[in-house]
């Protein structure tokens, strides 16, 4: 028999404790209460790279001086040539300015996305309605996808009780249901194309070109799925971020035999002999795609993070025998009927 | 064994009718077990002490599922992914031997004007929910969720399994001593001690007295641990039951102690064990509902009693860390979900406090589940919400409508201050009683989608 246990709670709270306690109020209402408002939180200013500004200012000054010298020289030769040179330089200058601003703004998207994701991790840990409101404000400033924003709005207006952890869980579920499947399909599709292209390509340089081309296309497609406008700066930043996080972790990871355990026993057991270069390309593109997917998502994967094996399984099981042969893959159950097609 | 039991007294009757009936029962048992083995039948136990909100929980959960197209189930992944094709509410499978939960009647109460809460559980009842859905791979599948509703008072009797009469008697007497009507019990004990067992009228009278004393005490003081629990269900007849007697402690065995011991064994073997084996021992997932606010409006004793009751109840189940294929042969619980109910009655900012208090109340029960490998979930839920929150000059408040249609708002007192439970503040505060909020025939809820995600989503992958 248990006689109960002593828990050090339930004593009469002293005055200092009661100071912050709510005593409880009951009121009669003439009209419904207004909805809970979201508290505006000023955006945190990121530390600026002042050295880069000085370098840009220095280069701009040198270029500016050179332009003035060239224009002066053109005017000294002929006023007509001078005006023509001025027009050309002005046109180039305006185009460059627009391009640079566009490049700069587009590049900011990834930084904002990373900041939002980092805030999501904090919000998940916090379990607070105030932190939820802050994250929602950040999301509204960062995300452009109307459906996602409507989903977030729906939670805030209909579910005042939702705390920050629940909000992040809901957004993760939303992405898992609505966005991730499309991203997974794109990754499998581009990886298969790369595998088939490299399987058919007779030159190593062409192999490289196919890989880069498919990776860039995949990067653009994933950006669109997750509501980011792709441009060269985004591609560059995304690729460099992925290279840093994924491929520089060890060259051995690119070796297929090292990747097989990741694919799971059932799938790895299906492969026989040497999987060809084509399939290796599929592995690389899939890994790139998965890393890009992770970087572009505004919330971390809370569960069911897509694995390399699921992408590769899609490629293998959705490919015909001839396609597999072209990739250099041979399934065990087909071994007895035909020989593996090595390149 | 249960198959043979279900064949009833006619097991040895070899007439054609009884053989056909027996074969039909065997067939339905076989189908039932086959579905369980294939993970197409999930049995969920909903436990909780009386007034924890079990009937409301079941009614709202079923309604949300039934109207999954329209209800607010953002956190339930099969609904979010549009994988649910159809949901049908069925009477409990014949093999379960339960009366129908009468979901339609409970729903009618909710959708009436003004809406009212489902009736508390009076008898053991159940229902099956058949869900047709598509798996993540696109395969069409079916899952039957079996839910059993039983009076909360009955659960506490599980503590009697494994006890002998003298241990039980000492325990119950120590509990009675702490009641406000402890003297009344002492008086009763004296009368019981002097009972002439030959006088059937006197025996009946004393049994009625004990039943009345038990019911009055449980109703007035919420004595969660006082037993036998089945006596406290109105309309439920128990012929033989044990009674606690303070006079018997430290006494040598007598005819009375022998008689009470027999009644105890009879009650445990004939009533409690069959109840446990038939309805509780084959559960896959366990839901434990606790009305934390009720605990806060009473006392520390109530908190301790609720805590002890929960650990005693949950200590009787078998747990596992992995729901294997063989679970249908020897059912074990792989997940226990503790929910603080009626979260709609406190401000959203207090939901965290509700969880913290629940952790304290269910500390031992949770530790037991965890140590046996079962996953443990804690949350604050409102199965049928009566309030919405909004802002006034006094800060955030909860608004709702009472039975007379009057709109009111209130701000509940703090539940926890500096991690200390605010008993006094909550004892002196009376929150207005509001009617359930219905949205096109679907009750407004707090986190029932999370409940569904935790309970069934992984069976619908």
């Amino acid at each position: 028999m248990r006689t109960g246990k002593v828990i050090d709670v339930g004593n009469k709270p002293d005055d200092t404790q009661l100071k912050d306690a709510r005593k409880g109020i009951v009121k009669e209402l003439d009209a419904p209460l207004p909805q809970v408002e979201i508290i505006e939180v000023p955006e945190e200013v990121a530390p600026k790279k002042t050295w880069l500004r000085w370098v840009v200012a220095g280069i701009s000054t040198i270029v500016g001086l050179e332009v003035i010298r060239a224009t002066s020289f053109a005017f000294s030769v002929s006023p007509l040539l001078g005006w023509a040179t001025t027009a050309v330089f002005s046109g180039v200058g305006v185009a460059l300015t627009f391009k640079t601003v566009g490049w700069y703004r587009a590049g900011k998207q990834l930084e904002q996305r990373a900041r939002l994701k980092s805030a999501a991790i904090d919000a998940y840990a916090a379990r607070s309605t105030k932190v939820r409101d802050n994250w929602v404000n950040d999301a509204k400033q960062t995300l452009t996808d109307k459906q996602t924003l409507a989903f977030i709005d729906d939670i805030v207006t209909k579910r005042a009780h939702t705390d920050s952890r629940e909000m992040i869980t809901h957004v993760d579920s939303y992405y898992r249901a609505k966005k991730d499947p499309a991203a997974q399909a794109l990754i499998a599709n581009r990886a298969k194309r790369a595998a088939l292209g490299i399987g058919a390509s007779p030159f190593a340089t062409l192999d490289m070109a196919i890989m880069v081309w498919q990776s860039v296309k995949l990067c653009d497609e994933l950006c669109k799925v997750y509501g980011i406008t792709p441009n060269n700066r985004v591609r560059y930043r995304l690729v460099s971020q992925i290279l840093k996080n994924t491929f520089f972790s060890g060259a051995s990871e690119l070796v297929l035999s090292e990747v097989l355990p990741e694919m799971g026993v059932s799938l790895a057991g299906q492969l026989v002999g040497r999987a060809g270069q084509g399939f290796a390309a599929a592995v690389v593109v899939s890994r790139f795609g998965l890393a890009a997917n992770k970087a572009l998502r505004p919330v971390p994967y809370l569960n069911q993070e897509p694995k390399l094996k699921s992408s590769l399984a899609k490629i293998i099981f959705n490919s015909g025998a001839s396609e597999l042969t072209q990739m250099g893959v041979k399934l065990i159950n087909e071994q007895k009927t035909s020989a593996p097609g090595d390149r | 064994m249960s198959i043979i039991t279900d064949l009833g007294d006619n097991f040895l009757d070899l007439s054609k009718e009884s053989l056909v009936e027996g074969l039909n029962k065997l067939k339905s048992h076989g189908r039932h077990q086959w579905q369980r083995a294939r993970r197409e039948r999930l049995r969920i136990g909903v436990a909780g002490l009386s007034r924890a909100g079990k009937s409301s929980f079941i009614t709202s959960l079923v309604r949300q599922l039934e109207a999954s197209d329209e209800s607010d189930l953002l956190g339930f992944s099969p609904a979010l992914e549009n994988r649910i094709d159809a949901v049908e509410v069925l009477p409990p499978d014949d093999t379960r031997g339960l009366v129908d939960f009468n979901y339609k009647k409970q729903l009618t109460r909710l959708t009436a004007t003004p809406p009212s809460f489902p009736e508390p559980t009076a008898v053991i009842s159940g229902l099956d929910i058949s869900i047709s859905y598509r798996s993540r791979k696109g395969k069409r599948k079916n899952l039957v969720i079996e839910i059993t509703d039983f009076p909360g008072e009955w659960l506490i009797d599980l503590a009697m399994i494994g006890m002998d009469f003298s241990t039980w008697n000492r325990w119950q007497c120590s509990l009675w001593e702490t009641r406000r009507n402890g003297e009344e019990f002492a008086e009763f004990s004296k009368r019981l001690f002097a009972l002439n067992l030959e006088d059937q009228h006197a025996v009946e009278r004393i049994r009625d007295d004990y039943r009345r004393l038990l019911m009055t005490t449980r109703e007035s003081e919420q004595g969660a641990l006082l037993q036998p629990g089945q006596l406290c269900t109105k309309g439920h007849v128990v012929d033989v039951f044990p009674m606690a007697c303070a006079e018997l402690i430290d006494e040598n065995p007598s005819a009375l102690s022998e008689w009470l011991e027999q009644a105890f064994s009879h009650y445990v073997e004939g009533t409690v064990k069959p109840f446990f084996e038939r309805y509780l021992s084959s559960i896959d997932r366990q839901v434990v509902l606790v009305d934390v606010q009720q605990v806060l409006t009473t006392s520390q004793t109530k908190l301790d009693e609720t805590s002890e009751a929960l650990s005693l109840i949950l200590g009787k189940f078998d747990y596992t860390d992995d729901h294997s294929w063989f679970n249908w042969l020897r059912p074990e619980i792989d997940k226990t979900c503790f929910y603080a109910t009626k979260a709609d009655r406190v401000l959203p900012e207090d939901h965290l406090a509700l969880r913290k208090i629940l952790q304290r109340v269910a500390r031992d029960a949770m530790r037991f589940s965890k140590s046996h490998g079962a996953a443990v979930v804690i949350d604050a839920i409102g199965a049928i919400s009566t309030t919405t929150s909004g802002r006034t000059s006094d800060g955030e408040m909860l608004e709702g409508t009472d039975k007379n249609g009057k709109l009111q708002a209130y701000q509940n007192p703090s539940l926890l201050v500096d991690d200390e439970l605010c008993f006094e503040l909550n004892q002196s505060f009376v929150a207005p009683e509001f009617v359930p909020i219905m949205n096109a025939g679907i009750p407004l809820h707090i986190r029932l989608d999370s409940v569904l995600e935790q309970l069934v989503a992984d069976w619908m992958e």
Side-chain angles (χ1 to χ4, degrees), chain A residues 222-279:
Chain A
L222 289 176
C223 281
K224 280 178 192 162
V225 167
Y226 290 103
I228 282 184
T229 316
N231 75 350
N232 284 334
R233 189 166 186 236
V234 171
R235 287 176 202 123
Y236 168 75
R237 291 183 80 105
L238 192 58
V239 170
S240 60
Q241 193 180 330
I242 291 164
L243 286 176
K244 198 163 67 182
N245 293 343
T246 312
F247 295 115
F248 290 170
S249 56
S252 66
E253 284 183 0
L254 290 174
V255 179
L256 193 58
S257 59
E258 294 291 320
V259 176
L260 283 177
E262 271 188 64
M263 292 160 57
V265 176
S266 59
L267 185 59
Q270 293 284 312
L271 300 172
V272 69
R274 148 180 116 76
Q277 275 179 313
F279 191 69

Side-chain angles (χ1 to χ4, degrees), chain B residues 278-291:
Chain B
R278 193 172 180 91
Y279 304 115
L280 302 175
S281 65
S282 53
I283 284 168
D284 300 305
R285 299 233 155 126
Q286 182 68 58
V287 171
V288 183
L289 303 178
V290 184
D291 185 355

